[in-house]
Structure formats: structure tokens, C-alpha cells
């Protein structure tokens, strides 16, 4: 779906926002709807749609790293996975705390839906499909990603003044 929209001329930013919006807003709505289900089959159907909607994130934020910073895909993806793991740890603990304090299950579902809605609002407000990293003004990010190693200079300009560590072939001719 995303590739066909881009091929039809829709901007990459618009496509990523739309696809990720479905991936976040769909589960949020389904989790709220789940609180009103009275049968196991109804709950299963709603939960299936919620999980199905999360598949849209594969064409939303996961491929977006390549677009916003092709040179730093690994680092960006690693930071996102770290944040996601941290949220999973804290979320699991907080779910237990909420359920043990005699709050009903819908409380957990509504809080989770709120997290999805917050993520959707943040993504829709701030995401882009254009290159962000590697442009002037993001030298601090490059410095951080490269472990603070800085080259003294480069006659040809191709090393951009930073030591890329393992990729020494790209630095031939740099001081």
C-alpha cells in the first residue's frame, strides 16, 4: 500500500504519516471498543483487528529510519528498540500494579489506548519522510553516533571531518 501510494506521487511524508496513523489509531480505537465487548468471540475479533492494525507500523516508522538518516539506520533503530523495550518493561509492571490495586481491566486498556493516541499525535505532528540527519546543524548527532571521534580535517571533504571507525576505506586521504 505504502509503495503504491508513493509510486502514484503522494509525498513520502504523507504516506508515512497515514500508514503510521493507521498503525497507532487503529489499535487505540480497538482497545477502547474491547472494553465494551461482552462475548469471547467479540473480544477476539476486536483484538485481532487491533493487532492487524499494528502491522501498518512496518511501513510507517520502521522504514522511516532509512529515509531520515540513511547513514545512521542502525543507531536510530537501536535507540527506538531500546525505548520500546523500556516501555514494555515499565508497561508490564504498571499493568500488574493497576490490576492488583483492584482497578478493573478496562482501566489498563484505556491507558494503553491513550499511549497509542499520544504516539499517533506525536508522529503526526513531528514526523517527516525527508532526510534529517546528515545535513548542516546535526553535527552533534554525528559526533554522538561516532563516539566522539573527530578527524582533524579532510582535503577532499568526503569524510565530513568525522572518523567513521571501521569504514577506513572511505577515509583515504583524510588527515
Amino acid at each position: 500500500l505504502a509503495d503504491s501510494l508513493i509510486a502514484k506521487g503522494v509525498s513520502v511524508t504523507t504516506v508515512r504519516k497515514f500508514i503510521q496513523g493507521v498503525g497507532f489509531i487503529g489499535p487505540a480505537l480497538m482497545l477502547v471498543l474491547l472494553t465494551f465487548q461482552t462475548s469471547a468471540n467479540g473480544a477476539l475479533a476486536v483484538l485481532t483487528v487491533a493487532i492487524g492494525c499494528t502491522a501498518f507500523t512496518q511501513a510507517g516508522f520502521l522504514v522511516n529510519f532509512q529515509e531520515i538518516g540513511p547513514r545512521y539506520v542502525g543507531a536510530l533503530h537501536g535507540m527506538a528498540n531500546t525505548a520500546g523495550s523500556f516501555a514494555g518493561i515499565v508497561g508490564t509492571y504498571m499493568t500488574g500494579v493497576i490490576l492488583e490495586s483492584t482497578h478493573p481491566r478496562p482501566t489498563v486498556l484505556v491507558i494503553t489506548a491513550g499511549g497509542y493516541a499520544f504516539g499517533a499525535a506525536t508522529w503526526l505532528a513531528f514526523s517527516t519522510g525527508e532526510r534529517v540527519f546528515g545535513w548542516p546543524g546535526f553535527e552533534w548527532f554525528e559526533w554522538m553516533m561516532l563516539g566522539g571521534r573527530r578527524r582533524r580535517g579532510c582535503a577532499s571533504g568526503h569524510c565530513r571531518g568525522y572518523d567513521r571507525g571501521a569504514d577506513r576505506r572511505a577515509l583515504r586521504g583524510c588527515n
Side-chain angles (χ1 to χ4, degrees):
L1 177 64
D3 289 340
S4 64
L5 289 171
I6 292 170
K8 290 179 182 175
V10 180
S11 78
V12 173
T13 299
T14 301
V15 170
R16 297 295 175 232
K17 286 184 177 193
F18 168 71
I19 295 292
Q20 190 63 35
V22 172
F24 277 167
I25 295 170
L29 294 174
M30 292 299 111
L31 288 174
V32 171
L33 185 60
L34 184 59
T35 64
F36 298 106
Q37 297 305 307
T38 57
S39 71
N41 287 339
L44 182 62
V46 169
L47 213 59
T48 300
V49 172
I51 298 301
C53 286
T54 63
F56 279 83
T57 63
Q58 303 298 315
F61 89 94
L62 284 178
V63 296
N64 194 247
F65 298 126
Q66 184 65 36
E67 295 158 350
I68 66 172
R71 191 170 167 188
Y72 307 108
V73 172
L76 292 168
H77 196 86
M79 287 188 279
N81 277 343
T82 300
S85 295
F86 181 72
I89 292 166
V90 172
T92 301
Y93 174 76
M94 291 307 299
T95 298
V97 168
I98 291 168
L99 292 177
E100 283 186 8
S101 65
T102 68
H103 288 290
R105 283 188 173 81
T107 303
V108 173
L109 297 174
V110 170
I111 290 171
T112 304
Y116 271 115
F118 176 76
T122 302
W123 180 267
L124 293 172
F126 298 110
S127 70
T128 182
E130 307 303 321
R131 181 175 289 196
V132 174
F133 302 107
W135 294 104
F138 283 94
E139 292 84 7
W140 63 270
F141 184 80
E142 291 184 5
W143 181 82
M144 182 180 71
M145 290 295 99
L146 299 171
R149 298 180 307 263
R150 185 166 174 79
R151 300 293 291 183
R152 284 180 284 157
C154 176
S156 66
H158 74 278
C159 70
R160 297 175 42 88
Y162 293 91
D163 180 0
R164 296 206 37 199
D167 194 8
R168 296 280 181 196
R169 291 182 302 275
L171 298 173
R172 286 192 187 133
C174 296
N175 300 350

